[in-house]
Amino acid sequence: SLSAEKPHVPFFFCGTKTEALHWSARPRSRPAPTEEARSTASVASSCYSTSLQSTTTRVSFLSPSRSLPRALPHTSRREVSFNVQDSEDFTERVINSELPVLVDFHAQWCGPCKILGPRLEKAVAKQKGRVAMAKVDIDDHTDLAIEYGVSAVPTVIAMRGGDVVDHFVGIKDDDELDSFVSKVIGQ
Amino acid sequence: MAALYGGRHRWKRINCLHIFSRKLTGKYDYDLLVIGGGSGGLACSKEAAQLGQKVAVLDYVEPSAKGTKWGLGGTCVNVGCIPKKLMHQAALLGTAVKDAKKYGWQIPDTISHDWPTMAEAVQNHVKSLNWGHRVQLQDKKVKYMNLKGSLVDEHTVRGLSKAGKETVLTAKNIVIATGGRPKYPTNIPGAAEHGITSDDIFWLKKSPGKTLVVGASYVALECAGFLKGIGLDTTVMVRSIALRGFDQQMASLVTDYMEAHGTRFAWKSVPNRVDKLSSGALQVTWTDTQTGSEHKDTFDSVLWAVGRAPETKALGLDKLGVQLNKETGKIVVGPDESTSVPNIYAFGDIGEGRPELTPTAIKAGKLLAHRLAGQSTELMNYDNVPTTVFTPLEYSCVGLSEEEAEKRHGKDGIEIYHAFYKPLEFTVAERDASQCYIKVVCEQGGNGKILGLHFTGPNAGEVAQGFAMGFQCGATYSHLIQTVGIHPTCAEEVVKVHITKRSGLDATVTGC
């Protein structure tokens, strides 16, 4: 269906886009897998089950190698998005997520963010669990936002295996978001 | 527990949970450490960083007595210029909506204002500025720390976090730009418990309701102005005169306008006590000092606007021997913003004798950064600074007041041109323009160098900015009347002034 809804706001984002986000693929430091861990990890899901918390959607385990089969955690309830609580939470649920994660940096005072938020949720929901979405309020998590080079909001970064693989600033319409999300998942 | 210093050895000192090492080889953590992240502090630190200095800025907001706090950016951004101007605009729009009816707009007879809508919008904008400043510091490579800074010695600053964690930092030069905070009266029972200040008014989630504003500074009048403008019952209590330090004829035009438009003024009055009633309302008792009579009234809010005190107490300045002015408590500074202690500088609101304005703080900060980086010797010029009071009838000025000009040059040494004018927009709107006025104070003789320019009217700040440039260039009355006016504007009346006070003629000008 035609996404005829163009933003009626005279601006697409809040703040100034100072320079291009200077982290193209920004690896966040995370523990490097040891040789031992690599060998045990390649044995199906046994080491994963110990860290798997099936009661929540949170999955925290190392994904040292991309060649590992993606063992989707078998949680039935999957919220479309979650609010990042603190930097440990971000590390666990975003950096160490085995799913690709869209991080929506937004602010309470940002009008365009309120428009983009629901659209993003819709685009993510369409993917039926193939991608997760983390929401970061930049006033609550200023250091995190600064670390990821956020200047204007909304800024959405896509992370896969702890690396930034894509990003955009400002509002996008439904079609643009669908293709952005598909690209991130790798379809 | 002081560590022992010895020659060129490096000593480690454990301080609370934080371990740091103090290098005594003459190298410091930073080239420049700025305490205070307001208009001045941010400008200075960003400029210094751009000049290649290693800079850190400490910003910390001690919550107000009512618990209000805010983010990076200082007074102007959070509890001053910015929210003030936005709320002033909200009030002006209310007047405009009423005027609109006369211009043909079909508007309901009564319109009302919703405080929460305005407050949220204003607060959201301020928060976006907090963020913007944070990003700018990051871009300009200034290290930002949310710590309360105090001086340990002329090269060492202790920063305290909200959680009580200590960080010690050393710097070649230290700049103090901590500004000021509103004063609470000390001798009025109930003042602190029940009253608020400008630190709180812009962050209220609910309307302040019927308000008593105590004070007659521009803070008091501007706040009272927008409160009345959005429809709140507002009273201003003045101890002696309004807008002390400003031209008093202009000051009375400002207050006359406010009185004519519904603001109550309790002249020559001082509050005695503030009590909270069981209904939750505040009862204020005051004395009319002219008659000696006592009065009482109830208000929803009491706003104290009785002056601002410099933020120096917690800085540890006495320990270092940084000289303060005994009366004001501000830091005594030289023309280069230096203090009595080498390597320590101070500027902005905290400097004694300095204008309490954002543009002067910003400019002074940038020039200081240049001097500290060894790039220039240019000093800040604090003369010819224009300013505007954003009361319902705005007042802008540059240069001397009539009183000051008379004092310096004598009554016969000056010529004053003046005019009462009517903004064209007021005609159809049937608005009273009695207080719209222009006064140009010039030197007697010669081309009549302009000593002071004063203007009351709509958009006074916009009108005066261009004239301030002329003033800076040493404009004379001759220059003024050679300038062709832009028609139809209010500003054109400035270049058309020709009636002198001395002549005694009626200064009311008619339109074309």
Side-chain angles (χ1 to χ4, degrees):
Chain A
S1 64
L2 257 172
S3 174
E5 185 196 33
K6 287 286 174 231
H8 290 289
V9 289
F11 50 94
F12 281 175
F13 54 82
C14 298
T16 45
K17 272 192 203 180
T18 47
E19 52 206 38
L21 294 159
H22 43 269
W23 33 253
S24 42
R26 187 203 168 98
R28 204 19 164 112
S29 62
R30 51 196 171 89
T34 59
E35 210 45 73
E36 193 185 283
R38 218 190 286 273
S39 55
T40 46
S42 62
V43 177
S45 53
S46 53
C47 75
Y48 295 99
S49 58
T50 53
S51 56
L52 195 65
Q53 289 152 42
S54 53
T55 48
T56 68
T57 57
R58 284 167 50 176
V59 182
S60 48
F61 55 88
L62 296 173
S63 47
S65 155
R66 302 241 173 86
S67 61
L68 278 174
R70 277 224 180 135
L72 275 176
H74 45 274
T75 53
S76 45
R77 281 177 300 116
R78 180 173 289 278
E79 297 126 10
V80 181
S81 70
F82 58 89
N83 288 310
V84 171
Q85 303 297 311
D86 51 40
S87 42
E88 284 84 45
D89 196 33
F90 187 83
T91 306
E92 258 181 60
R93 292 214 254 176
V94 179
I95 311 271
N96 295 343
S97 167
E98 55 87 59
L99 280 183
V101 186
L102 295 188
V103 186
D104 175 15
F105 289 94
H106 65 98
Q108 174 212 344
W109 39 261
C110 164
C113 298
K114 300 197 192 329
I115 294 174
L116 182 71
R119 281 192 203 164
L120 266 176
E121 305 238 349
K122 209 166 76 177
V124 166
K126 274 192 207 166
Q127 298 298 335
K128 301 207 195 310
R130 280 177 295 229
V131 64
M133 181 159 111
K135 292 179 79 74
V136 177
D137 181 320
I138 63 174
D139 287 332
D140 293 337
H141 308 288
T142 308
D143 290 340
L144 184 64
I146 293 285
E147 192 189 329
Y148 278 85
V150 177
S151 62
V153 275
T155 289
V156 175
I157 67 169
M159 296 197 70
R160 240 183 16 218
D163 296 327
V164 176
V165 296
D166 206 347
H167 73 275
F168 67 85
V169 180
I171 298 184
K172 291 225 177 289
D173 64 31
D174 292 324
D175 291 339
E176 291 172 306
L177 286 179
D178 285 339
S179 54
F180 178 84
V181 175
S182 305
K183 207 171 113 205
V184 168
I185 295 174
Q187 286 161 356
Chain B
M1 217 79 46
L4 289 171
Y5 304 156
R8 290 172 188 46
H9 298 291
R10 241 212 279 156
W11 292 85
K12 284 198 166 65
R13 187 168 101 194
I14 295 173
N15 208 325
C16 293
L17 301 167
H18 197 90
I19 300 171
F20 73 100
S21 68
R22 171 94 176 257
K23 298 182 198 168
L24 294 165
T25 53
K27 195 152 188 279
Y28 304 100
D29 296 330
Y30 294 97
D31 294 317
L32 179 65
L33 192 67
V34 179
I35 309 179
S39 304
L42 292 178
C44 184
S45 55
K46 286 187 295 193
E47 191 75 9
Q50 267 191 298
L51 296 169
Q53 303 251 295
K54 190 170 176 216
V55 190
V57 69
L58 303 187
D59 186 61
Y60 189 86
V61 179
E62 196 66 58
S64 75
K66 281 280 175 271
T68 312
K69 51 191 204 299
W70 49 88
L72 180 63
T75 296
C76 176
V77 164
N78 294 287
V79 287
C81 328
I82 303 295
K84 174 268 297 281
K85 188 87 190 286
L86 289 173
M87 292 200 176
H88 170 62
Q89 175 66 1
L92 289 179
L93 287 171
T95 312
V97 168
K98 293 191 202 101
D99 288 353
K101 285 192 225 180
K102 303 267 172 42
Y103 280 90
W105 287 98
Q106 304 299 296
I107 294 183
D109 278 326
T110 47
I111 49 160
S112 62
H113 182 266
D114 180 64
W115 175 278
T117 306
M118 172 186 73
E120 194 186 329
V122 171
Q123 288 154 19
N124 280 347
H125 179 65
V126 170
K127 287 180 188 167
S128 77
L129 295 178
N130 297 142
W131 169 253
H133 279 300
R134 184 74 189 81
V135 170
Q136 271 189 29
L137 288 181
Q138 182 74 8
D139 286 348
K140 300 271 196 281
K141 308 210 190 333
V142 174
K143 175 96 180 124
Y144 159 74
M145 287 173 268
N146 184 212
L147 301 173
K148 194 171 164 90
S150 62
L151 296 171
V152 178
D153 65 43
E154 54 265 26
H155 291 288
T156 315
V157 167
R158 174 192 300 118
L160 206 61
S161 77
K162 195 168 99 174
K165 187 169 130 181
E166 253 189 39
T167 308
V168 180
L169 306 150
T170 60
K172 178 158 155 243
N173 289 309
I174 297 171
V175 172
I176 302 170
T178 49
R181 294 295 287 266
K183 281 200 266 206
Y184 269 97
T186 44
N187 55 345
I188 299 173
E193 300 93 288
H194 308 308
I196 59 171
T197 66
S198 59
D199 277 356
D200 310 298
I201 187 90
F202 304 109
W203 293 92
L204 295 178
K205 295 272 189 271
K206 287 185 348 191
S207 171
K210 178 178 172 188
T211 306
L212 171 67
V213 179
V214 182
S217 54
Y218 68 82
V219 173
L221 296 184
E222 285 175 346
C223 287
F226 70 72
L227 290 173
K228 180 77 202 120
I230 59 173
L232 300 175
D233 183 324
T234 311
T235 306
V236 178
M237 189 168 292
V238 184
R239 183 184 57 185
S240 57
I241 58 168
L243 295 177
R244 183 181 300 277
F246 286 88
D247 184 295
Q248 285 300 291
Q249 179 196 13
M250 306 307 291
S252 25
L253 290 171
V254 166
T255 54
D256 285 348
Y257 183 94
M258 289 173 72
E259 272 186 297
H261 287 76
T263 304
R264 260 192 293 252
F265 274 78
W267 292 102
K268 299 273 195 283
S269 300
V270 287
N272 299 322
R273 57 181 303 116
V274 181
D275 296 300
K276 195 163 186 150
L277 305 175
S278 52
S279 63
L282 302 175
Q283 184 175 264
V284 180
T285 320
W286 72 88
T287 305
D288 178 335
T289 59
Q290 282 194 299
T291 61
S293 53
E294 250 205 17
H295 301 267
K296 214 183 269 209
D297 198 357
T298 49
F299 302 92
D300 297 318
S301 305
V302 176
L303 175 68
W304 303 105
V306 294
R308 292 178 67 82
E311 277 283 284
T312 49
K313 291 176 267 11
L315 282 170
L317 298 175
D318 46 342
K319 200 164 25 132
L320 261 74
V322 176
Q323 205 192 346
L324 303 178
N325 177 292
K326 282 188 187 35
E327 250 184 73
T328 62
K330 294 189 182 184
I331 301 179
V332 174
V333 289
D336 59 344
E337 331 312 340
S338 58
T339 66
S340 52
V341 177
N343 316 312
I344 300 185
Y345 299 81
F347 74 99
D349 285 8
I350 200 119
E352 173 59 39
R354 299 295 187 224
E356 291 182 356
L357 297 168
T358 280
T360 48
I362 291 176
K363 199 152 203 284
K366 290 186 178 168
L367 290 172
L368 176 62
H370 279 261
R371 293 195 302 271
L372 293 178
Q375 306 265 339
S376 129
T377 51
E378 191 188 339
L379 299 177
M380 172 65 190
N381 177 11
Y382 287 100
D383 295 327
N384 312 336
V385 174
T387 186
T388 298
V389 182
F390 294 98
T391 34
L393 181 71
E394 295 177 9
Y395 162 44
S396 62
C397 58
V398 60
L400 306 177
S401 61
E402 185 178 333
E403 302 94 316
E404 186 62 33
E406 213 175 275
K407 201 162 93 182
R408 295 191 195 188
H409 300 261
K411 221 181 172 86
D412 293 328
I414 56 174
E415 192 73 86
I416 303 164
Y417 300 89
H418 66 157
F420 283 95
Y421 69 96
K422 184 164 191 168
L424 179 62
E425 295 83 355
F426 280 34
T427 54
V428 170
E430 291 174 17
R431 280 178 64 184
D432 181 14
S434 315
Q435 290 89 22
C436 292
Y437 179 74
I438 299 161
K439 181 161 75 174
V440 184
V441 183
C442 307
E443 265 179 14
Q444 186 70 259
N447 288 322
K449 180 159 185 285
I450 300 176
L451 301 170
L453 195 148
H454 303 263
F455 176 94
T456 46
N459 308 303
E462 309 291 355
V463 168
Q465 181 70 86
F467 289 110
M469 182 175 109
F471 192 87
Q472 181 81 318
C473 298
T476 62
Y477 177 69
S478 175
H479 289 131
L480 194 64
I481 49 163
Q482 277 168 40
T483 310
V484 179
I486 302 171
H487 185 72
T489 62
C490 299
E492 65 173 308
E493 299 301 337
V494 179
V495 303
K496 286 154 67 184
V497 286
H498 57 281
I499 293 167
T500 62
K501 274 203 176 181
R502 182 166 279 127
S503 69
L505 295 168
D506 177 15
T508 310
V509 295
T510 51
C512 58

